[in-house]
Amino acid sequence: MARLVECVPNFSEGRDKQVIDAISAAISETPGCSLLDVDPGASTNRTVYTFVGPPEAVVEGALNAARLAFGLIDMSKHSGEHPRTGALDLCPFVPVLNVSMDDCVRCADEFGRKLAEMLRVPVYLYGEAARSDSRRSLPSLRSGEYEALPEKLKRAEWAPDFGPALFVPSWGAKVTGAREFLIAYNVNVMGTKEQAHRIALDIREQGRRKDQPGLLKKVQGMGWYLEEANLAQVSTNILDFELTPLHAVYEEICRDAEELKLPVVGSQIVGLIPLKALLDSADFYIKRDQLFIIEEEHKVRLVISKLGLDSLGPFNPKERIIEYMVKSQEEGGLISLSLQQFVHSVGARTAAPGGGSVSAAIAALGAALGAMVGQMTYGKRQFENLDSVMRRLIPPFHQAMNELLRMMDADSTAFSSYMAALKMPRNTAEELKRREAAMQEGLQQAVAVPLALAEKISILWPPLRQMVQYGNIGCKSDAQVAAKALETAVFGAYYNVLINLKDVSDEAFKLATQRRVCELLQEARDNVTSILDAADKRP
């Protein structure tokens, strides 16, 4: 199982391409590290690198980059719009796949310790890795910036977590830590640096002072002028995009800018962004503007347009969305196979994929056919009176189609867990006990997936009945095939539940599960009969 940590080192060099490229090479040439993004800024004189890899690899990649930068960046000659304390100003570790925050804290500890030993420089821990509450916040650690370090390092309260309390003029100090995903998001304003900063003071959580907090929780902000674009920016860090979404920051800045009679001309993501952040914003605009958009690709395009994310340069989703960038790092699974490959894998001399995964695939195809009938009805002139009906009926099929596809791998994984339990040692009473417990857990997982499949299909019967009633008559046979495909998938789920239930020792669980899967099967039979009758009655 792949384990991925994201590392986002911020180096205080954004103008010298040779230095920027050399640091990129130091990261990308580290075994196990995949460099995803390099985002230099001339006005900020700073470059943000984003790379992923297993925990051990990203620590090594960060050390290689720091070692190289030590001889290339001279902080005594540095100037730029962005706050900074050192040549490698900041290096957070972020959990991405199959790793915990504790794993990332260990990465920060190891990196900080090794860096201090290697370069003999002061290193501070922040965020989840901080050893005291006073150092959790990055702005508080950066107070006074690089220029304040000579005096700060003389005071006991500013003793570094690693390395000597020694001011190294060419390097400064390094901050490392662990955090959740942060979105570096800048909004472009046709105004001055001072006007942009005024807006930032209003919207950032810190506000202007303690008795005058800002409007947006978990948002940091400041204003600066971007010389290369000849405009000002309200620069923000969104620390929790689920609490304060991307669109909330943009819309609030727009309101403040309007009060100052300043035009907003797009915005900018620095580095990468989680897909969910864009989809949440898409849902906001879809609801606000009463739009009908269901495809993920179209939702992403909508947000790029609404926020003007391509105003300062191309915004390529495949290069800027973290999930799209790390897909190649994950195991593909059944869902990534071609149809031919999937069929051949089913026909191979292996226990999985088997009937459960095939049932999920059939169910996904049934849901896809339901969505297709709706799509072939919606937006057509002869059916325009049904547009509101199709807007309601299509989304359940589209959502189920994607969820059922993912169940193909979930079923195979669940069965593999049971098979792994069968191979556990059984030489002692304790080993036999552990093996039996693992087998029972594996069996219950193997039961849960097909049962969930049948439950998911159960939701589709009412909209499918209406789709048959109102959908494009030219697609009647497609709706009929959809009904039979979904029924077949429920039969498959029923048989997979029963065969795994027989060895489950928990009688109460067994009885309740058997009762429920029988109900779902009967429901499928009844609904398919009525749906096919309704289809036959249409001319």
Side-chain angles (χ1 to χ4, degrees), residues 32-99:
C33 289
S34 296
L35 183 61
L36 304 182
D37 187 64
V38 180
D39 201 329
S43 292
T44 57
N45 200 5
R46 183 182 188 86
T47 299
V48 179
Y49 298 82
T50 304
F51 65 99
V52 296
E56 303 79 9
V58 294
V59 169
E60 193 61 32
L63 287 169
N64 288 341
R67 185 186 296 110
L68 181 75
F70 188 75
L72 297 178
I73 298 175
D74 185 353
M75 284 302 295
S76 66
K77 301 175 182 177
H78 183 273
S79 64
E81 291 281 352
H82 200 288
R84 78 283 185 263
T85 58
L88 172 46
D89 180 59
L90 177 66
C91 188
F93 295 88
V94 183
V96 174
L97 181 70
N98 300 320
V99 292

Side-chain angles (χ1 to χ4, degrees), residues 319-450:
E319 297 175 355
R320 305 305 298 278
I321 296 174
I322 184 72
E323 287 85 353
Y324 296 172
M325 292 294 290
V326 303
K327 269 184 179 178
S328 61
Q329 303 291 320
E330 303 178 39
E331 296 177 4
L334 298 175
I335 195 173
S336 67
L337 300 180
S338 69
L339 178 60
Q340 183 183 51
Q341 290 170 327
F342 175 65
V343 170
H344 286 175
S345 68
V346 171
R349 195 191 295 268
T350 56
S357 295
V358 169
S359 297
I362 293 171
L365 289 169
L369 281 169
M372 186 201 84
V373 175
Q375 297 276 28
M376 294 295 289
T377 308
Y378 177 75
K380 291 185 177 289
R381 188 168 181 178
Q382 65 266 43
F383 304 121
E384 63 184 355
N385 62 311
L386 295 172
D387 278 359
S388 62
V389 176
M390 292 301 119
R391 281 187 173 215
R392 177 172 52 82
L393 295 182
I394 294 171
F397 290 104
H398 190 269
Q399 180 179 347
M401 173 182 74
N402 291 318
E403 292 175 353
L404 291 164
L405 273 174
R406 289 192 288 271
M407 285 186 174
M408 291 169 59
D409 281 303
D411 185 90
S412 182
T413 300
F415 186 74
S416 296
S417 297
Y418 172 68
M419 295 301 292
L422 286 176
K423 297 175 183 177
M424 289 176 66
R426 44 181 171 172
N427 300 316
T428 66
E430 185 61 32
E431 287 179 346
L432 282 170
K433 185 178 179 181
R434 281 199 296 268
R435 178 175 180 271
E436 178 61 24
M439 286 170 56
Q440 289 300 313
E441 183 180 354
L443 284 170
Q444 292 201 16
Q445 288 177 5
V447 165
V449 174

Side-chain angles (χ1 to χ4, degrees), residues 5 18 31 73 97-98 128 134 144 183 185 316 337 351 376 389 423 492 506 508-509 535:
V5 170
Q18 286 187 326
I73 298 175
L97 181 70
N98 300 320
E128 296 299 321
S134 64
I183 300 174
Y185 179 56
N316 184 344
L337 300 180
M376 294 295 289
V389 176
K423 297 175 183 177
D506 186 334
F509 173 84

Side-chain angles (χ1 to χ4, degrees), residues 228-303:
E228 60 266 32
N230 194 26
L231 49 76
Q233 286 188 320
V234 181
S235 175
T236 73
N237 284 335
I238 304 174
L239 307 180
D240 185 343
F241 70 84
E242 297 195 61
L243 178 64
T244 302
L246 194 66
H247 60 267
V249 177
Y250 179 77
E251 295 293 334
E252 190 56 53
I253 291 173
C254 286
R255 279 189 286 271
D256 280 27
E258 187 176 3
E259 289 181 8
L260 296 175
K261 308 300 182 186
L262 300 176
V264 172
V265 286
S267 60
Q268 172 193 34
I269 299 292
V270 179
L272 303 182
I273 185 170
L275 176 63
K276 187 177 187 299
L278 293 177
L279 296 183
D280 286 349
S281 291
D283 289 342
F284 167 79
Y285 289 112
I286 288 168
K287 183 177 181 180
R288 188 193 72 176
D289 300 341
Q290 298 183 330
L291 307 174
F292 182 63
I293 302 175
I294 58 174
E295 295 289 342
E296 182 175 289
E297 178 187 354
H298 294 167
K299 289 183 177 183
V300 171
R301 286 185 187 177
L302 173 69
V303 178

